[in-house]
Amino acid sequence: MSDLFEALLESQINVRQRNILKSPKRGGSSDIDAVPYLGELGVTIQEKRQPIQFTPNINEHIHRWAPYVQGFSASFVQSILDTYGSEYDSPIILDPFAGCGTVLVQAKLNGYESYGTELNPLLQFIANTKLNCWDISPYFLLKIYNSLPKDKRSPSPAFLKSHSHFKPGVLRNLGIIKGGIESIEIKNEKLKKVKDLLLLAFSSILIDCSNLKRSPCLGYGKGKRIYDTAPFVLLDQKIHHIADDLRIIHNEYRDFIHTPGKVILANSMKYTHTRKFDLVITSPPYMNGLDYVMNYKIEMGWLGFANSHKDLKNIKDAMVVCDNVSKGLINNFHTSNSTYTNDWIEEIKSNIAKNIVKRGSYRREDMPYIVHKYFDDMYKTMKNVTSALNVGGHFILVVGDSLIADVYVPTDLLIAKIGLDLGLQIEKIEKARERRSGQIRSYKLRETIITLIKGR
Ligand SMILES: C[S@@+](CC[C@H](N)C(=O)[O-])C[C@H]1O[C@@H](n2cnc3c(N)ncnc32)[C@H](O)[C@@H]1O
């Protein structure tokens, strides 16, 4: 490129675009950059391509009750249960990052006891409702639904901009539905469960009724046309899906209706388990992944799980860190000294810091500490889980790696390394999917299944 042309080009592009054009990682891949780390661990990565994401669940019984962007596919969880279930008498399953409960619901469909922890109260509610309403008669659900009053109207959440999120007619109809559900008097446990099912159904239609879309982050959906009657039409469809699934449960899964399955509202980094588990199947948040709070703020507000932006921030700050947490949180972490580290983390931190200086600016200057906090958070969770794992138990994690300021972060291999530090053994590491880096689109990242085992 001539100097003149380069100067002209540089004058027309912003810093971010320039950094992308100059990145040494263009056209690269995590498979190449992972080689030295794999050598040190003494393992190779096997190919195991499969659909691991939630999308196909929209056609699966129970899983389809609530849409969730960041969950597992039911078929992936089933494949793990098929592989390992028979190794134990009747395995007890744990998902420390339970999300909307895909692992637990699938475990229950196999008759296995299952537990989880989850920090987002909306997701905990959704998961528990999907797990604990199997004894409700579909006729009873429909009877209560059909008799909901239409003359009670609930206000929209005060801290959200509901008038921009919804058209006026849609907003009015959502208020009528919510008012009707709220008017149900909880006279017994069955009515409480029906009310929970109706609230779950209501929460799961909100984004479809709004001017927003989640793809996967929540934002305005250009050109989205919504009729005022959408809340009634979509709720009716959802309730009938739930009633159909309850019918299937009563016909095909009757023996498992009372199999225990429960998600506790707790921080996986701090929670001390009182049970022992045979099989842990989980997917932690990804470092540069999604915001599990802001993405669900509409549903959290409408169901009363958050009443202010401060509530949302507090939940988010307690979670395994992602790259848009508050600066104060990272600053506190940075100045505290009781943290997990290892030589890989220190080298990665130092390379990210150097590249940020070289670039002149970066989205988050405190990125080295965000990365460090992520692995410290993961260490804390993995330590808790490992102490609760039976000898011979499997700990299976699905995670994606990252490219940060042109530095490759082998998240999956670092998690395997933390497992080794905690006394676990690596059974296998498999590549389930290829992804593109959000920053350098031509750089190939992967999504990995890490299988660890607690040896004798
Ligand atoms: C990738 S999602 C898990 C999805 C789940 N496997 C499913 O299929 O529904 C990660 C979840 O971890 C939760 N989370 C993040 N930090 C947490 C923590 N410290 N303790 C408990 N849950 C946490 C998030 O709210 C999110 O729901």
Side-chain angles (χ1 to χ4, degrees):
M1 216 181 326
S2 79
D3 288 352
L4 185 66
F5 181 67
E6 199 166 330
L8 189 67
L9 189 66
E10 291 223 356
S11 67
Q12 289 180 353
I13 59 178
N14 63 30
V15 178
R16 184 171 177 271
Q17 290 164 326
R18 190 167 56 234
N19 282 328
I20 292 171
L21 280 174
K22 285 188 172 168
S23 169
K25 294 295 181 191
R26 285 174 71 198
S29 77
S30 59
D31 287 346
I32 297 168
D33 288 338
V35 171
Y37 296 106
L38 284 166
E40 238 186 271
L41 285 179
V43 290
T44 50
I45 298 182
Q46 300 160 30
E47 287 285 331
K48 183 111 192 243
R49 307 276 173 137
Q50 56 186 298
I52 49 176
Q53 293 172 302
F54 191 85
T55 329
N57 291 0
I58 50 167
N59 298 317
E60 299 275 348
H61 313 311
I62 312 172
H63 298 290
R64 65 178 175 164
W65 294 2
Y68 186 56
V69 188
Q70 300 86 356
F72 281 140
S73 65
S75 65
F76 168 73
V77 179
Q78 188 57 45
S79 73
I80 304 274
L81 296 175
D82 289 343
T83 309
Y84 295 106
S86 58
E87 279 191 23
Y88 312 95
D89 261 355
S90 179
I92 304 190
I93 320 277
L94 169 69
D95 184 349
F97 299 108
C100 68
T102 314
V103 169
L104 288 85
V105 167
Q106 200 59 29
K108 187 163 164 137
L109 287 167
N110 285 262
Y112 299 150
E113 210 175 311
S114 59
Y115 298 89
T117 48
E118 170 57 52
L119 256 179
N120 183 328
L122 168 83
L123 298 174
Q124 183 225 11
F125 165 78
I126 291 174
N128 280 337
T129 306
K130 279 157 66 181
L131 286 161
N132 294 323
C133 294
W134 290 28
D135 55 343
I136 294 302
S137 140
Y139 308 103
F140 186 52
L141 170 67
L142 292 174
K143 186 177 147 204
I144 303 286
Y145 164 65
N146 287 323
S147 59
L148 285 180
K150 296 236 167 33
D151 58 346
K152 313 245 184 283
R153 200 167 145 195
S154 274
S156 52
F159 75 105
L160 293 176
K161 292 183 187 148
S162 297
H163 289 281
S164 343
H165 297 155
F166 300 97
K167 282 171 56 191
V170 172
L171 197 54
R172 190 182 54 246
N173 288 337
L174 286 174
I176 291 172
I177 294 174
K178 178 81 191 312
I181 301 175
E182 271 171 355
S183 73
I184 298 173
E185 250 186 88
I186 302 177
K187 294 189 190 135
N188 53 47
E189 202 202 340
K190 292 245 152 115
L191 270 169
K192 157 102 178 63
K193 289 186 182 182
V194 168
K195 190 169 180 177
D196 284 350
L197 283 170
L198 292 169
L199 284 170
L200 176 148
F202 175 74
S203 75
S204 79
I205 62 160
L206 282 169
I207 298 301
D208 284 344
C209 291
S210 74
N211 306 323
L212 305 162
K213 63 173 185 176
R214 208 160 17 219
S215 62
C217 291
L218 195 62
Y220 284 92
K222 273 194 206 128
K224 201 175 157 186
R225 269 189 77 187
I226 307 293
Y227 294 101
D228 288 355
T229 49
F232 294 118
V233 175
L234 293 177
L235 185 75
D236 196 66
Q237 228 172 49
K238 184 60 75 179
I239 295 293
H240 281 90
H241 280 161
I242 296 178
D244 286 349
D245 290 355
L246 289 172
R247 234 170 260 129
I248 290 169
I249 290 172
H250 292 188
N251 290 334
E252 294 175 29
Y253 299 95
R254 174 158 289 280
D255 292 349
F256 306 149
I257 286 179
H258 299 290
T259 301
K262 184 176 175 188
V263 177
I264 299 151
L265 185 64
N267 190 332
S268 63
M269 296 181 238
K270 297 184 180 157
Y271 188 73
T272 309
H273 293 279
T274 49
R275 288 184 183 76
K276 288 275 183 188
F277 303 96
D278 300 299
L279 207 44
V280 180
I281 309 170
T282 199
S283 174
Y286 294 4
M287 201 183 319
N288 48 357
L290 288 158
D291 183 330
Y292 295 98
V293 178
M294 295 315 280
N295 235 3
Y296 294 94
K297 67 178 182 186
I298 307 287
E299 294 90 335
M300 291 173 78
W302 277 87
L303 260 56
F305 289 116
N307 294 311
S308 63
H309 284 288
K310 192 156 182 245
D311 284 354
L312 297 174
K313 178 185 175 294
N314 289 343
I315 299 172
K316 186 167 144 182
D317 278 0
M319 288 189 170
V320 167
V321 81
C322 69
D323 62 3
N324 62 353
V325 283
S326 65
K327 292 210 165 108
L329 183 83
I330 300 303
N331 205 26
N332 285 344
F333 169 77
H334 165 199
T335 47
S336 72
N337 42 25
S338 59
T339 48
Y340 169 83
T341 195
N342 62 40
D343 49 347
W344 292 5
I345 296 175
E346 289 308 314
E347 196 187 351
I348 287 166
K349 275 172 68 184
S350 134
N351 289 339
I352 293 176
K354 275 189 230 151
N355 282 0
I356 291 178
V357 172
K358 216 180 338 171
R359 284 174 173 224
S361 83
Y362 197 66
R363 198 162 44 92
R364 291 283 302 238
E365 306 264 323
D366 53 358
M367 205 63 201
Y369 299 103
I370 296 181
V371 172
H372 191 175
K373 185 171 183 337
Y374 178 84
F375 291 107
D376 188 56
D377 289 352
M378 282 307 296
Y379 174 80
K380 288 180 181 140
T381 300
M382 288 176 71
K383 191 169 177 216
N384 279 340
V385 169
T386 303
S387 356
L389 193 62
N390 278 324
V391 170
H394 283 90
F395 187 170
I396 297 156
L397 301 107
V398 175
V399 75
D401 49 9
S402 299
L403 185 69
I404 296 174
D406 289 337
V407 178
Y408 171 58
V409 185
T411 313
D412 45 3
L413 306 183
L414 260 156
I415 280 174
K417 191 172 164 74
I418 293 174
L420 293 179
D421 285 350
L422 290 167
L424 301 171
Q425 293 154 17
I426 302 173
E427 187 172 288
K428 57 186 171 186
I429 301 186
E430 297 162 312
K431 176 168 161 185
R433 199 168 72 92
E434 215 155 66
R435 305 147 54 227
R436 301 239 161 228
S437 156
Q439 292 193 8
I440 314 288
R441 299 299 293 163
S442 59
Y443 187 87
K444 282 187 204 147
L445 291 165
R446 59 172 178 265
E447 202 151 17
T448 314
I449 311 164
I450 308 143
T451 304
L452 305 169
I453 181 166
K454 188 162 178 175
R456 284 170 212 285

